[in-house]
Amino acid sequence: MQIDAPHHTRDTPRKRDSVVQCSGREVLEGHLMEVDEVMCFPRLSRVAVCGGTHGNELSGVYLVRELLKAEKKVKKKKEEEDEEPVSVQLVLSNPRAMQQCRRYVDTDLNRCFTHAALNGSPSDSDPYEMIRSRELNAMLGPKGSPKAMDLVCDLHNTTANMGLCFIAYSDSDWVCLHLFRHLQRRIPDIPMRYIHFNVARKESYSLDSVGKHGFAMEIGPQPHGVVRSNIYTAMKVGVQHVLEWVHFFNSGTVFEGGLVEVFTMVKHIDYPRDKETHNITAAIHPQLQDRDFCLLRPEDALFQTFSGETLRYKGKEPLYPFFVNECAYYEKGIALSLARKRQVMIPSIRVQTEQEQQANERGFKSEEEE
């Protein structure tokens, strides 16, 4: 099996989200750096794979159930290996919603992980998902703490024709971007995109934001409440390659830098609605339906009214649509989302040595003392 070879690049400076050791130098939050050396990150010792955050997105539900069945065999095999095994925690996130095959019971669990929501005062009247989000935060976090999971992969399905997507809050989390690049290479026959939601960490609202690194793996099209074998298999293979990459990374593989295509979300567009009833008056135009990530230009067909009129995109710049006609977003007032596409240069990375990790930990302790 071919592994990425070390590669050194010098390109546009990027920002970092945390302090890391990089060939004997520290890169501090908010400071610019040159991507000209191999960057070093702590070992990914604890990984969480979550399914059923939305109880009717069934690929993740059935995959985590299957992984739980196989967990004992996997643990036995890991114990027989010489190297320190990775702890993989398998989580069925929203059991009540899963039992009812519903997206949620009281409120959308995947909007309950903001700093304010997790740190608010508990109440007897809290929705079930708010209570569950605090349980998951205690299990996988706490969010933003050194105790949080090193990596959280949350599994989702969409009714939109989006292929396999990583959805993350950072366009400079080199671990997630390298993971995405690895899957692109390992599964070339499935369209893949990296979607960046530019949201501040305290405002990040989804389960994957609890980890030090995290992303949602979104795969479609698949109707909610249904499992399709091709979509399930794509998710299963995707998760296998995520865990494969973690193994390679922890074993000391140097992953070469390079360009990654990133779609940064710009805005949402709602359906046209009646001013009095607020009912929708149009559907996605046939020329746009199922054309996620195909460039939408000004004056392109956007909606078709129920009386047959074509409504056109009035934006000033061409953008890329995604989550086109997503079933679950009708209640959120979103007909589609639009993104800008750009190239992000990612640096070469490797795992920290024990000495580098100890030096980094001493640095954090010194900061806390100050």
Side-chain angles (χ1 to χ4, degrees), residues 106-331:
D106 294 324
T107 191
D108 192 338
L109 176 60
N110 217 36
R111 301 296 182 271
C112 292
F113 293 91
T114 63
H115 179 80
L118 293 174
N119 293 280
S121 299
S123 166
D124 292 339
S125 61
D126 283 343
Y128 164 69
E129 277 82 7
M130 194 66 258
I131 297 168
R132 182 60 177 159
S133 71
R134 291 172 182 147
E135 293 173 354
L136 290 166
N137 186 50
M139 183 191 306
L140 306 178
K143 179 174 177 175
S145 77
K147 295 180 180 178
M149 283 281 168
D150 296 313
L151 176 67
V152 175
C153 170
D154 194 23
L155 305 174
H156 289 265
N157 290 123
T158 174
T159 62
N161 186 29
M162 286 171 55
L164 190 158
C165 295
F166 275 33
I167 302 178
Y169 293 106
S170 175
D171 62 349
S172 57
D173 185 327
W174 309 134
V175 167
C176 289
L177 283 157
H178 268 284
L179 266 166
F180 171 75
R181 195 160 173 245
H182 180 72
L183 264 68
Q184 277 187 312
R185 292 178 174 180
R186 290 290 187 260
I187 323 174
D189 56 329
I190 298 177
M192 292 190 198
R193 286 95 178 185
Y194 188 100
I195 302 172
H196 166 222
F197 279 24
N198 191 15
V199 177
R201 184 163 183 81
K202 280 192 173 182
E203 300 303 316
S204 56
Y205 47 76
S206 53
L207 173 56
D208 52 275
S209 69
V210 171
K212 296 186 180 81
H213 306 278
F215 61 90
M217 183 185 291
E218 186 92 44
I219 309 184
Q222 177 171 281
H224 297 320
V226 168
V227 60
R228 290 179 52 177
S229 62
N230 62 323
I231 301 297
Y232 171 87
T233 301
M235 182 175 283
K236 180 179 180 179
V237 172
V239 170
Q240 287 171 346
H241 285 302
V242 166
L243 299 178
E244 172 190 68
W245 186 91
V246 170
H247 169 75
F248 290 153
F249 174 77
N250 288 342
S251 300
T253 301
V254 177
F255 292 90
E256 65 176 5
L259 289 171
V260 174
E261 197 172 76
V262 171
F263 291 85
T264 297
M265 199 276 288
V266 175
K267 61 181 177 179
H268 304 300
I269 294 180
D270 192 6
Y271 296 92
R273 293 180 182 271
D274 183 277
K275 290 182 180 179
E276 293 182 3
T277 66
H278 205 56
N279 292 331
I280 67 172
T281 58
I284 295 292
H285 197 280
Q287 292 177 16
L288 177 58
Q289 182 62 50
D290 298 325
R291 291 178 58 81
D292 297 70
F293 299 104
C294 294
L295 191 63
L296 182 69
R297 297 177 175 85
E299 297 305 319
D300 280 353
L302 183 59
F303 296 107
Q304 188 173 75
T305 69
F306 298 137
S307 60
E309 180 188 357
T310 293
L311 305 180
R312 299 190 177 275
Y313 173 51
K314 298 301 181 183
K316 295 181 180 179
E317 64 173 314
L319 293 170
Y320 291 85
F322 65 100
F323 279 127
V324 176
N325 204 15
E326 161 59 46
C327 167
Y329 287 176
Y330 275 70
E331 70 177 30

